Structures are given as structure tokens and as C-alpha cells.
Amino acid sequence: MNKLDAQRQKEIQQAEELLFAGPQALGFAKGLFQGHFVSDWVMPYPRIPAEQQAELDGTLKELRQFLDESLDPAEVDRNEDIPRSVIDGLGRVGVLGMTAPKEYGGHGFSQMANCKILEEIGRRCASTSVFVNAHHSIGIRALLLFGTHEQKQRWLPKLSSGEQLGAFALTEREAGSDAANVQMQARPSEDGSHFILNGEKRYITNAAIADVLTVMARTPVPGSDKTAVTAFLVTPDMPGFEMIEARMPKMGIRGTATGRFALRDVKVPKENILGPPGKGLKVALTVLDFGRTTFGACCTGAAKTCLQLAIEHANTRKQFNKTLGNFHLVQKKIARIAADAYAMEAMTTITASLIDRGLEDYMLETAMLKVFTTERLWECINDVFQIYGGSAYFVDRPLERMMRDARINQIGEGANEVLTSFVALVGMRGPGMEFKEIYDTMMKPTREQGFAKAWAAGKHRLGATVRVPEISVHSSELRWFANQLGRLIWRFNVAVNRALITYREPILDMQLVQERIANAVMDLFAATCVLSRHDAELQFAQRNGNSSTPERFAADLFLRQSFRRVRHFLAELTNNDDKSVLATANSILGKPGD
Ligand SMILES: Cc1cc2nc3c(=O)[nH]c(=O)nc-3n(C[C@H](O)[C@H](O)[C@H](O)COP(=O)(O)OP(=O)(O)OC[C@H]3O[C@@H](n4cnc5c(N)ncnc54)[C@H](O)[C@@H]3O)c2cc1C
């Protein structure tokens, strides 16, 4: 085995250990890769239980009033700081402990309800929503998910009220996208009472204002010369904690304090370990699943602001004796923003509901939500920027700030390229394993049992490719869309099978192929969420004597455009310029081609 193959095997083994925890219920996204429409996870469109909805409505009312009176996003950006009074106010409303259980001083909200809160903040100020995410979605998440009762009792009440703030510290110079490459060391003390941490972290939101940081560091694996990542709770008052740079000057979300710190022989008691020792990467990935869900909510809020700004300007600004909203090329942009904002909300709601309903494995859905919503928001901001023309460029308007703020979304909490590849590879693993079973048996037809397994796998594969999944909707107006979606899922499955048969193991490195597969499945997920929401809204309208819903056109448009994109991605799997793209890049980078 050459060095590259050995590295690949190591990566695959690491990923297997980390991501595949044994038999679990089939999730929606993994189902799509197998040609199944697991409708229970997505239909009917989830609703917040009436009792919690009333509580949410009350909290939203209080939050809006507080934000109207106290939060000035332009000032936050200009001063590069979120005033302490705003943080205290968010704490008072309950935002900083929204999903923490009531017994630990939290609000006990579901993820769906929490997403509505983050959408409201994301609508107004990206710095503030990123601050809240860093504290609540990821900063205290490991404690919420993996903490013992004693740990929660000790730390959570002050973190939930905002008296103390949290942060999540994974990234280092050598561990950016390659999160498994954490270098910070945690050596156990001789008496086993504590660990001694050494290393540096960078780009950590809230690092300089946090009272408690969840820090990922490498611990020895007992009985071997290996190391594995473990999650620790670290407080900045521990001797040896050094803040190297409290607020790294940056392009956007300037109100957030993004810092760089070092730990030099910092003694952390063993009671501060979160989750099983050596399972810190699993802890980190699970935490990020939550962060990606609220990312979706924040982007939805920002997209709604884009729509509102676009409508205001298109209806008032006149050129050529007409308001801009009369020009088709402006209308096209506004229609697309409306369609995307509708889809982003639907996708966020359904993804959050998967967590609330206890699906064990939702990492594909959260990754798809993150990529899809951050890419769409970037497009929305670009479109509304264009509608505002020259005026968008000046700092008296919010658009240049919104554009600067939005750019981090495609990079943070997993760069979109990394997540895109992840979606395709994790999704294809199921059908890929079945093909491997068939292939291995064909090559070594020695064991009867092997044949039986291969036969079962073959039947399963074949079954998925001959059946078009049936998608049932209640509204007759939507049957055509449901049928189209079913056919596209079938076509997607055929395309995945074909790609796996054609490329076999090298597909692991073929990111251009992976990207099309991931893009197609993201649109299939988005279209499903839109169909589910649209169906529920139509049913509600009809029960109340209305034949249509206010956002009917946006939903229809999204479905049409989404289906068109899926067809395009699938067609590009066989009709593309990949060879030429790679030859050009290789020649420019001075690398040998194939
Ligand atoms: C404002 C801000 C706040 C942040 N807050 C936090 C925080 O609170 N906690 C925390 O732990 N981290 C935080 N981060 C770090 C963030 O998560 C990382 O920046 C991100 O994971 C990317 O890592 P990197 O910057 O090292 O980029 P790199 O890993 O160097 O990647 C650079 C680019 O290379 C490409 N790339 C990398 N790998 C691949 C691949 N396998 N395939 C294809 N393309 C690839 C992608 O386009 C990527 O954008 C923050 C970053 C910023 C800028």
C-alpha cells in the first residue's frame, strides 16, 4: 500500500468510527440516496405544539420589543461591539438559555421554537445572531448534550441566564476544515486528578468574553501510543490561559469578538471532561449539527429582510418614468428571493423538527441546510444589492453591512465545499456498500452465504431503481408537483447507482461528481420541505374557506426552479467539462494531470 492509500484507509477508518454508530432508523436524506421517500420525517409539515406556541408567541413579542428599543445593528457594526446592555437584555428574555431545561434555569424550548427566535435576531443583526449561536447553539451545547447532572447543575444556570457566556473552541492553525487534526495536547497528571493542556486556538467567537469555553484537545488513548480528541470545559481564570488577541479585526460580523488564545500548562480538573474521553470529535460534530440548524434560521431571517428591502425599493424608486418593480429583470430577482426565503424557512423548520422528534442521525440534513441556506442567502443579498444600484454601496444603507456579514456563512461551521463533499459521500455510503457486497461476491464466489447476501443487496438496489416513490399530498393542486418530485427522486437514485458503478472507489476523490450529487439531493430535500409546507398551508386555508395562500406563488416557483436545477445537475453528471477543468487547474498549479 502506498503512502496515499494508507492515508486514505486511515481517513476512511476514522470516518467510519466517527459517523456510523450501528443500526439506526433510516433518515430522510439517506433514504433519498436509496430511492426511498421516508415521508414520516417530512410530512405532515411539523407544528409547534399549541402550548409551546403560546409561550413562543409571548417570548417573540418580548424579544421584538426589546430589539426594537435596544439593538442598533449599524452601531454594533460601527463600534465593533455588542453592548453589554444588549447581551443582558437577551439574557433577560431567555434567549441565552432557550433550549436548556427549565430545571437548569433555561426556557426548555424545542429546536423548532428556538429557530424562530434565531430567525428574528438574524432578520436584524448578523453579529448578534452569530454571538447567540456561538454561546447557545455551540458554546453550551456539549454541556447540554453530554454533561452529567452535576456538571449541568454547576455550570448551566449562570450560562442560561447570560450571567456567564460560553464559547466553542475547535479551530487551530492546523485544524480548520480538517477538524480531526487538533494539535492542542491534554496530558493526564500523574495522580489522574487533572489534565495539563497546551496549545493554541484561533478564530474563536466569544473567546475573549466567555466565562466558560468548550475546548477540544488531544488525550492519550490508554494502553496504546495513539491519541484521540476529548472535550474539556476551560475557564479563562485558570492559570496559564492567555488571550493572545481578544478581537481580531475583520470584514463582517464586526460586533462579535473573534479571538485567539493559548493554553500553557493549564490544569483542567478531570471533572471538566464533557462526554466520553477520546470521543471529542463525535461531541464536536454533534454540537455543530445544532449550530448548522440555527445557521439556517439566521439565514432565513436575513433573507426575509432582503425581501422586505427589495419590495420597498422596487415600489418607490423610479427610473424611465416607472418604478423599478415594473421591470421584468427586477421582478425576476424579487420572485427568486421570495421563493428562496420560503424554502429556507421550510427547510429549517423540518430539520429542527428531526432533532425534536428524536431522529438519531440528522447530520446529512443539517449539513444540507447549512450549505443550501448560506448559498441562497448570498444570492439573495447580491440580488437586492443590485436592485438598490449605487445606493447599496454606501454605508448609510444596511446592504453593504449585510453583504460583509453574510460572507462568513459559507466558511464557518464547516466550509461549504467540505460539507458538499460530505453530503455526497456519506449519502452514497449505503448504496455503495450494497454494490461492494455484490461486487466482492462476484469476484470471490466461494461462500453460499456470500451469494445470499449479494442477492439480497442486489434485490434491494434493483427494487429502488424500478420503483418511482409515491409521494402523497392532501391538496389536489399539488399532485403534479408530488409526482414530479417522485420521478426526480427515482432519477436521482438511478444516477447515484450509475456513478457508483462507473467510478467505484475513485469516486471518493471525484469532488466535481460529488458536488452534482450533493446539489441534486439538497434541492430534492428543499423541494420536499416546500411541498410539505405548501400542502399544510393550503389545507389550512381551505379549512378556513380560502382557496389559496399568501405565499402560493413563491412556493410554486421554488418547486419549478428546484426541479429544473435537479435535472440540470443530473444531466451534468454525464455531460460536463470536468477533464478540461482539471487539466486547466493542474497546468496552472504545476501539478501532473491524470
Ligand atoms: C468570524 C469567524 C468566526 C469563527 N468562529 C469559530 C468558533 O467559534 N469556533 C471554532 O472552533 N471555529 C470558528 N471559526 C473557524 C471556522 O470554523 C473555520 O474558519 C472553518 O472551519 C474553515 O477553516 P479554515 O479557516 O482553517 O480554512 P481551511 O481549512 O484552510 O480551508 C480553506 C478553504 O479551502 C477549501 N477546502 C478545505 N478543505 C477542503 C476539501 N476537503 N475539499 C474542498 N475544498 C476544501 C474550502 O473552500 C475552504 O473554505 C470561525 C471563523 C471565522 C472566520
Side-chain angles (χ1 to χ4, degrees):
M1 201 185 301
N2 66 31
K3 213 171 144 199
L4 217 64
D5 285 345
Q7 172 68 15
R8 152 77 59 215
Q9 283 307 328
K10 195 175 143 216
E11 279 171 13
I12 291 176
Q13 196 190 340
Q14 262 182 357
E16 294 275 330
E17 279 171 21
L18 206 61
L19 303 174
F20 306 106
Q24 289 172 331
L26 182 64
F28 183 74
K30 284 189 178 167
L32 289 179
F33 277 91
Q34 307 199 359
H36 299 308
F37 186 81
V38 191
S39 72
D40 284 358
W41 292 121
V42 288
M43 288 176 171
Y45 191 64
R47 293 186 58 170
I48 294 170
E51 198 183 303
Q52 191 165 87
Q53 184 66 54
E55 211 184 329
L56 171 64
D57 290 343
T59 308
L60 274 173
K61 191 170 167 217
E62 201 185 338
L63 177 66
R64 283 183 190 125
Q65 195 180 341
F66 168 72
L67 296 176
D68 284 346
E69 286 165 6
S70 315
L71 179 67
D72 178 350
E75 188 186 275
V76 165
D77 182 61
R78 209 169 33 249
N79 296 344
E80 303 192 0
D81 190 26
I82 301 169
R84 186 69 222 192
S85 57
V86 170
I87 295 176
D88 289 344
L90 290 171
R92 271 196 308 279
V93 178
V95 169
L96 301 179
M98 220 55 185
T99 65
K102 289 189 172 161
E103 61 174 308
Y104 302 117
H107 237 68
F109 270 18
S110 63
Q111 288 306 319
M112 271 170 71
N114 187 39
C115 281
K116 291 288 159 208
I117 301 285
L118 263 306
E119 181 188 313
E120 188 59 41
I121 302 172
R123 236 174 209 260
R124 297 159 185 257
C125 175
S127 284
T128 307
S129 64
V130 170
F131 154 75
V132 174
N133 261 342
H135 164 81
H136 180 264
S137 291
I138 59 175
I140 66 171
R141 183 63 47 190
L143 183 58
L144 284 169
L145 293 173
F146 301 98
T148 60
H149 174 62
E150 288 71 32
Q151 287 173 325
K152 288 181 186 169
Q153 226 170 17
R154 175 171 170 204
W155 302 99
L156 271 179
K158 285 185 178 172
L159 286 164
S160 297
S161 68
E163 191 182 332
Q164 292 195 334
L165 297 175
F168 174 78
L170 172 64
T171 304
E172 300 173 10
R173 203 166 74 90
E174 303 302 331
S177 299
D178 187 3
N181 196 31
V182 165
Q183 299 295 313
M184 180 169 275
Q185 300 295 322
R187 179 167 45 85
S189 64
E190 277 183 11
D191 64 359
S193 65
H194 58 271
F195 283 76
I196 299 150
L197 271 64
N198 276 291
E200 284 188 16
K201 296 281 178 189
R202 69 174 186 181
Y203 306 164
I204 307 303
T205 308
N206 292 357
I209 57 171
D211 303 277
V212 186
L213 297 95
T214 304
V215 174
M216 302 296 156
R218 203 160 270 289
T219 47
V221 176
S224 89
D225 57 356
K226 292 190 179 145
T227 56
V229 176
T230 298
F232 291 89
L233 284 174
V234 173
T235 57
D237 57 359
M238 290 176 172
F241 186 107
E242 185 193 332
M243 187 54 61
I244 302 172
E245 199 174 358
R247 287 178 181 267
M248 302 167 75
K250 58 189 189 292
M251 167 184 170
I253 52 165
R254 289 185 178 163
T256 60
T258 314
R260 204 152 65 84
F261 66 90
L263 302 184
R264 309 207 196 280
D265 289 330
V266 173
K267 290 183 185 164
V268 181
K270 70 174 185 341
E271 291 73 28
N272 286 23
I273 288 182
L274 285 175
K279 296 289 176 202
L281 272 182
K282 178 87 186 164
V283 171
L285 288 186
T286 313
V287 164
L288 290 173
D289 274 334
F290 282 77
R292 287 170 193 154
T293 307
T294 40
F295 239 86
C298 298
C299 290
T300 302
K304 287 186 179 180
T305 299
C306 288
L307 185 59
Q308 191 191 334
L309 290 170
I311 296 167
E312 278 166 21
H313 199 65
N315 278 337
T316 50
R317 168 79 176 153
K318 275 189 175 172
Q319 286 291 276
F320 306 99
N321 278 331
K322 290 178 185 172
T323 52
L324 295 181
N326 283 296
F327 298 106
H328 287 186
L329 290 177
V330 172
Q331 289 188 354
K332 176 180 154 186
K333 292 182 178 58
I334 292 177
R336 198 165 50 199
I337 299 172
D340 285 348
Y342 185 90
M344 287 156 80
E345 183 175 354
M347 222 170 158
T348 303
T349 302
I350 285 189
T351 306
S353 80
L354 299 179
I355 299 179
D356 291 337
R357 290 173 59 199
L359 177 64
E360 288 162 290
D361 174 5
Y362 35 76
M363 59 189 171
L364 279 188
E365 287 82 358
T366 58
M368 292 197 291
L369 176 70
K370 194 270 179 179
V371 175
F372 191 86
T373 53
T374 57
E375 295 292 340
R376 302 321 295 173
L377 176 60
W378 186 245
E379 292 295 320
C380 290
I381 292 182
N382 198 38
D383 278 348
V384 66
F385 204 98
Q386 192 68 17
I387 293 171
Y388 270 74
S391 66
Y393 217 76
F394 294 90
V395 297
D396 59 334
R397 299 265 190 197
L399 281 162
E400 62 84 33
R401 170 174 51 81
M402 287 175 68
M403 185 168 252
R404 284 188 284 108
D405 286 348
R407 192 59 186 84
I408 181 57
N409 296 337
Q410 288 142 304
I411 297 168
E413 294 198 20
N416 284 4
E417 289 79 3
V418 177
L419 292 177
T420 296
S421 176
F422 171 85
V423 165
L425 290 179
V426 173
M428 284 192 291
R429 181 181 179 268
M433 294 299 273
E434 286 180 352
F435 279 124
K436 190 170 177 325
E437 197 103 63
I438 301 166
Y439 179 79
D440 287 351
T441 314
M442 294 316 218
M443 292 295 114
K444 285 184 266 165
T446 47
R447 285 174 302 145
E448 245 176 57
Q449 208 193 2
F451 261 131
K453 267 167 112 185
W455 174 248
K459 247 181 30 184
H460 193 240
R461 266 319 51 239
L462 197 70
T465 38
V466 291
R467 271 195 319 268
V468 173
E470 209 173 293
I471 297 169
S472 46
V473 282
H474 291 100
S475 319
S476 54
E477 300 90 320
L478 297 181
R479 298 255 150 81
W480 181 84
F481 287 114
N483 289 340
Q484 290 290 311
L485 180 59
R487 287 195 65 74
L488 282 174
I489 291 170
W490 173 78
R491 278 182 61 181
F492 171 71
N493 196 244
V494 171
V496 166
N497 288 348
R498 191 188 296 134
L500 284 166
I501 292 168
T502 310
Y503 303 118
R504 304 235 305 269
E505 204 173 306
I507 204 169
L508 295 174
D509 292 316
M510 299 176 76
Q511 290 194 330
L512 302 182
V513 174
Q514 294 165 16
E515 185 182 39
R516 295 183 188 104
I517 288 172
N519 282 341
V521 77
M522 280 190 255
D523 253 311
L524 290 174
F525 180 43
T528 301
C529 296
V530 166
L531 188 66
S532 175
R533 176 179 174 188
H534 198 7
D535 194 25
E537 287 173 352
L538 269 175
Q539 290 300 299
F540 180 80
Q542 284 166 9
R543 277 198 302 277
N544 290 293
N546 300 315
S547 59
S548 188
T549 67
E551 294 180 277
R552 178 198 156 177
F553 291 110
D556 279 7
L557 175 65
F558 185 85
L559 289 171
R560 287 176 190 283
Q561 295 196 330
S562 180
F563 293 166
R564 200 179 293 283
R565 285 193 295 265
V566 174
R567 281 187 218 105
H568 166 77
F569 297 133
L570 297 184
E572 271 207 341
L573 279 168
T574 46
N575 182 9
N576 57 58
D577 303 318
D578 291 1
K579 278 199 176 136
S580 176
V581 168
L582 297 178
T584 307
N586 283 327
S587 74
I588 288 166
L589 292 167
K591 293 183 182 306
D594 285 336

